[in-house]
Amino acid sequence: MKHARVFGVNCFFAFVFFSAAALALAQESAQSPAVSGEKAPEDQLKMQTKKIGLVIHGGAGTIERSKMTQDREREYRAGLERALAAGYEILKQGGASLDATEAAVHVLEDDPHFNAGKGSVFTSAGTNEMDGAIMDGKTLSAGAVAALKHVKNPISLARLVMEKSGHVMMDGEGAEAFARENGIELVDQKYFFTQERWDALQKIKAMEKHRTGAAGKRIPITDQDRHGTVGAVALDKNGNLAAATSTGGTTNKRPGRVGDSPVIGAGTYANNATCAVSATGDGEYFIRATVGHDVSTLMEYRGMSLKEAAQAVLDKVAKLGGTGGLIAIDREGNMALPFNTAGMYRGYVDPNGEYVVEIYK
Amino acid sequence: MKHARVFGVNCFFAFVFFSAAALALAQESAQSPAVSGEKAPEDQLKMQTKKIGLVIHGGAGTIERSKMTQDREREYRAGLERALAAGYEILKQGGASLDATEAAVHVLEDDPHFNAGKGSVFTSAGTNEMDGAIMDGKTLSAGAVAALKHVKNPISLARLVMEKSGHVMMDGEGAEAFARENGIELVDQKYFFTQERWDALQKIKAMEKHRTGAAGKRIPITDQDRHGTVGAVALDKNGNLAAATSTGGTTNKRPGRVGDSPVIGAGTYANNATCAVSATGDGEYFIRATVGHDVSTLMEYRGMSLKEAAQAVLDKVAKLGGTGGLIAIDREGNMALPFNTAGMYRGYVDPNGEYVVEIYK
């Protein structure tokens, strides 16, 4: 069952104009009914020579329909749409993929529904610690941050680390001191409190107690309770790819745990020669499988398509025992959004500029 | 000019018994005069069916002969030999490559000559912050630690993170709390004070002052002053590969800077299907080039030899602007030790069990 939602004029004739990018949409199940306004052939040509593209995700996991009210689903969809709009507006105006991915992730960080920034999950100590990264496919420049406690928008600090620190990766208090020096907004940990995330921590702690032998009933823990991540990948009109990822990590993680998001080559990777990738899921498995770089090298060294490479790497993650998903885009504008969980909050802009947002398989 | 030093009985006839592993030694300039005790053909056969191998490094950089006294050189060589002995003894007795790499790195961490553990360089704040990682090629399990301030042997904490934390990467105070809970030795920052590293920081700070316009004479800064890393890669008799890396990072780095050593797929990587890699050099470039995983995928997806792959990846690092080196070993026992700096402290055990230690090209 498809849950694609399309904004704009629907026109079935537009099918014939669908570019290769749309046809190559990686997720087999995502043969979305997305259609678009009719375009003149010359417009199509222009679009093909200066293709732009944007894909985002808001985390993969056991997203249970039974627990998803209509209101709640509407809120998630609205958040994803806002993120798409923020990023796509930049691309449409000829802006850089780097700016587009940062803008999209920024919106998701500010939305309490997603596990990043404001909506970050809690560590076992009841604190919030955030990771993130951004990478520029043109120069292979990258910025990554880990174990941040007070940075309102980790993705913007990652960008700053890339551009001004002389380093690629910074963490903890050192990273926050650098943020302070450079006017990045710091907030009290209270800012990151959301009742839902707090309840998820209590649920997992109760479950742990149960597991270790103490009395208590079995409490179902969904992936949704455990983790989540937000991310964006984009192609701009100059053919430059970029990837950005931000996360609060996993609920009940040990303080100091760093996931795959800030590990360049794992949760975040971009290379103009191949693709841009942002991952979400059991971070430990995604690090061990070097997910982002593996998608890239399967394309570059093995000649796989983006879709084949993305699926092959996700299969490797599954073989190790990990669940999750990833989003990817290549220099032709082909997109891939595979996941091996029940759902993944995700969205993309189709070749005709329509926003498509999906949650379930 | 070769600086190989061989310990044990020299016998020129042994040349004919050199296994393919020795012939494949990657570094062209390292056609070392290493020879060994004569072995009966059946022993040779046995060695080939159950090959073991160990390669270590103690950092790459502008190691200036003019500043290297005989005594000093002897100390470096002795440290590398002790590390080889610690690791090789384990492999010879049938132990695991994981144990061998940890043991070798442990020795180098305790030796003030190398930039890891005891001999760690100073941050711009005059503190010491250490990173490290270990990876098991059989299971792709990995443990990484970053921004440690009080852990005497970061490599042992990395191993513990891999085996007991449920996570792959941990940093800062959270990682140290986990260390404390598990009986890992913590020390005061004073333990990491060495006059030489302190002087190097002052020299770089003076240089910075000069650069920013203040008066002062030009002070030469060598790579040796700036960075360094220690690492080990090994193959055990069961065909399992492992890699371990530990570092104090770069002199004058911003507090919170994380280098390539703890980035799985960059400074540290092991995969039984291909190779084990430990890198040293300008960490930022090694992260951006996803060095370890790239060597592995060039072998797996492109069919390159270990030597070809290691050199190709180091060339990519150089193209980005980075200098350094790496050590690698594959499942056949082939070894590669390329570097693009004036020297790299390095050592390996040749197929006949002889220790070879080298510094310059």
Side-chain angles (χ1 to χ4, degrees):
Chain A
M1 191 170 159
K2 305 291 173 300
H3 277 244
R5 199 157 133 190
V6 178
F7 304 88
V9 181
N10 285 2
C11 172
F12 292 107
F13 296 104
F15 257 105
V16 295
F17 295 113
F18 258 40
S19 81
L23 295 174
L25 252 178
Q27 204 191 334
E28 311 245 69
S29 61
Q31 289 158 359
S32 107
V35 286
S36 72
E38 198 169 351
K39 297 279 195 312
E42 53 269 37
D43 285 344
Q44 288 296 320
L45 190 64
K46 198 172 162 193
M47 281 174 60
Q48 279 172 5
T49 52
K50 287 194 173 185
K51 255 179 211 159
I52 57 176
L54 177 67
V55 191
I56 62 169
H57 70 80
T62 313
I63 301 166
E64 294 180 71
R65 274 176 215 253
S66 59
K67 290 189 180 168
M68 182 68 93
T69 63
Q70 278 200 335
D71 276 356
R72 213 171 141 69
E73 185 167 327
R74 199 173 298 126
E75 288 163 14
Y76 275 103
R77 287 179 179 280
L80 291 167
E81 285 153 25
R82 278 194 303 272
L84 282 176
Y88 200 65
E89 202 49 45
I90 291 169
L91 294 173
K92 255 197 330 197
Q93 293 177 10
S97 52
L98 215 46
D99 294 328
T101 55
E102 182 186 354
V105 166
H106 205 282
V107 168
L108 296 170
E109 283 178 339
D110 289 345
D111 187 326
H113 290 86
F114 302 98
N115 175 17
K118 171 68 185 158
S120 290
V121 299
F122 288 90
T123 69
S124 61
T127 54
N128 305 98
E129 292 189 4
M130 293 153 285
D131 305 335
I134 193 163
M135 187 160 183
D136 177 358
K138 183 183 179 187
T139 59
L140 297 184
S141 293
V145 288
L148 304 177
K149 290 184 179 173
H150 305 96
V151 176
K152 189 164 179 263
N153 291 101
I155 199 64
S156 297
L157 181 56
R159 177 86 186 256
L160 193 77
V161 166
M162 176 172 87
E163 293 177 347
K164 292 195 177 164
S165 73
H167 298 317
V168 166
M169 189 172 188
M170 294 186 73
D171 74 359
E173 287 171 25
E176 296 198 340
F178 177 68
R180 203 172 292 116
E181 281 168 32
N182 287 278
I184 291 272
E185 188 175 357
L186 298 179
V187 293
D188 191 275
Q189 278 256 302
K190 282 178 205 159
Y191 168 77
F192 303 105
F193 182 89
T194 56
Q195 194 62 47
E196 188 187 353
R197 301 302 190 193
W198 184 255
D199 293 346
L201 177 64
Q202 305 318 316
K203 209 157 90 174
I204 288 185
K205 282 190 174 287
M207 179 80 174
E208 264 193 346
K209 208 172 158 189
H210 175 69
R211 256 200 226 125
T212 53
K217 59 177 178 142
R218 193 176 161 79
I219 301 163
I221 305 292
T222 65
D223 289 344
Q224 185 58 10
D225 289 331
R226 289 197 297 116
H227 54 62
T229 294
V230 309
V233 294
L235 167 69
D236 66 28
K237 75 174 178 63
N238 294 317
N240 292 323
L241 295 168
T245 314
S246 183
T247 187
T250 53
T251 298
N252 201 36
K253 68 181 177 183
R254 291 174 194 274
R257 177 264 191 183
V258 178
D260 63 314
S261 304
V263 176
I264 298 301
T268 306
Y269 189 72
N271 187 334
N272 274 7
T274 52
C275 62
V277 178
S278 172
T280 171
D282 299 321
E284 278 70 14
Y285 297 94
F286 282 71
I287 295 176
R288 291 166 58 199
T290 326
V291 165
H293 189 257
D294 205 23
V295 174
S296 172
T297 53
L298 280 172
M299 292 177 70
E300 187 174 359
Y301 303 154
R302 273 271 169 90
M304 280 191 189
S305 69
L306 181 81
K307 177 184 170 172
E308 290 167 340
Q311 189 60 55
V313 173
L314 193 63
D315 291 347
K316 288 191 200 180
V317 171
K319 209 173 159 190
L320 286 174
T323 63
L326 62 89
I327 56 171
I329 190 167
D330 70 14
R331 57 184 305 155
E332 309 300 327
N334 298 305
M335 298 180 260
L337 307 85
F339 55 95
N340 60 20
T341 47
M344 178 165 81
Y345 298 107
R346 62 200 187 278
Y348 59 92
V349 183
D350 78 14
N352 298 305
E354 308 292 345
Y355 298 173
V356 181
V357 165
E358 297 174 320
I359 298 178
Y360 308 103
K361 270 201 173 151
Chain B
M1 191 172 160
K2 305 291 172 298
H3 278 243
R5 203 158 130 190
V6 178
F7 305 87
V9 182
N10 285 2
C11 173
F12 293 107
F13 296 103
F15 256 105
V16 294
F17 294 115
F18 258 41
S19 81
L23 296 174
L25 252 177
Q27 203 191 338
E28 313 247 68
S29 61
Q31 289 157 359
S32 106
V35 286
S36 72
E38 197 169 352
K39 298 279 196 311
E42 54 269 39
D43 285 346
Q44 288 298 320
L45 189 65
K46 198 173 161 192
M47 281 173 60
Q48 279 172 3
T49 52
K50 289 193 174 185
K51 255 178 208 160
I52 57 176
L54 177 68
V55 191
I56 62 169
H57 70 80
T62 313
I63 302 166
E64 293 180 72
R65 274 175 217 254
S66 59
K67 290 188 179 167
M68 182 66 93
T69 63
Q70 276 200 334
D71 276 356
R72 212 171 141 68
E73 184 167 327
R74 199 174 299 125
E75 288 163 12
Y76 275 104
R77 289 179 177 280
L80 291 167
E81 285 153 24
R82 279 194 302 272
L84 282 175
Y88 200 66
E89 202 49 46
I90 291 169
L91 294 173
K92 255 196 331 195
Q93 292 176 10
S97 52
L98 215 46
D99 294 328
T101 55
E102 182 186 354
V105 167
H106 205 283
V107 167
L108 296 170
E109 283 178 338
D110 290 344
D111 187 326
H113 291 86
F114 302 98
N115 175 17
K118 171 68 184 158
S120 290
V121 299
F122 289 89
T123 69
S124 61
T127 55
N128 305 97
E129 293 189 3
M130 294 155 283
D131 304 334
I134 192 163
M135 188 162 182
D136 177 358
K138 184 183 178 186
T139 59
L140 299 184
S141 293
V145 288
L148 304 177
K149 290 185 178 172
H150 306 95
V151 176
K152 189 165 179 261
N153 292 100
I155 199 63
S156 298
L157 181 56
R159 177 85 186 256
L160 193 76
V161 166
M162 176 173 85
E163 293 177 347
K164 294 196 178 164
S165 72
H167 297 317
V168 166
M169 187 171 190
M170 293 185 72
D171 74 359
E173 286 171 22
E176 296 198 339
F178 176 69
R180 204 172 291 115
E181 283 167 31
N182 287 277
I184 291 271
E185 188 175 358
L186 298 178
V187 293
D188 191 276
Q189 278 256 301
K190 282 179 204 158
Y191 168 78
F192 303 105
F193 182 90
T194 57
Q195 193 62 48
E196 188 188 349
R197 301 301 188 193
W198 184 255
D199 293 346
L201 176 65
Q202 306 318 314
K203 211 157 89 175
I204 287 185
K205 281 190 174 287
M207 179 78 174
E208 264 193 346
K209 207 170 155 187
H210 175 68
R211 259 201 223 125
T212 53
K217 60 178 177 140
R218 192 177 161 78
I219 302 162
I221 306 293
T222 65
D223 289 342
Q224 185 59 12
D225 289 331
R226 288 197 299 117
H227 55 64
T229 295
V230 310
V233 293
L235 167 69
D236 65 29
K237 74 173 179 61
N238 294 317
N240 292 322
L241 294 168
T245 314
S246 184
T247 186
T250 53
T251 299
N252 202 36
K253 68 181 177 185
R254 291 176 194 274
R257 177 263 192 185
V258 179
D260 64 315
S261 303
V263 176
I264 298 301
T268 306
Y269 189 71
N271 186 336
N272 274 8
T274 52
C275 62
V277 178
S278 172
T280 170
D282 298 322
E284 279 70 15
Y285 297 94
F286 282 71
I287 295 177
R288 292 167 55 199
T290 325
V291 166
H293 190 257
D294 206 22
V295 174
S296 173
T297 53
L298 281 172
M299 293 177 71
E300 187 175 358
Y301 303 155
R302 273 271 169 89
M304 281 192 188
S305 70
L306 180 81
K307 176 182 172 174
E308 290 167 340
Q311 189 60 54
V313 174
L314 193 63
D315 291 347
K316 288 191 199 180
V317 171
K319 209 174 159 191
L320 285 175
T323 62
L326 63 90
I327 56 170
I329 190 167
D330 70 14
R331 55 184 307 155
E332 309 299 326
N334 298 306
M335 297 179 263
L337 307 84
F339 56 94
N340 61 19
T341 47
M344 177 166 81
Y345 297 107
R346 61 202 187 276
Y348 58 91
V349 183
D350 78 14
N352 299 303
E354 307 293 346
Y355 299 173
V356 182
V357 166
E358 298 175 319
I359 299 178
Y360 309 103
K361 272 202 171 148

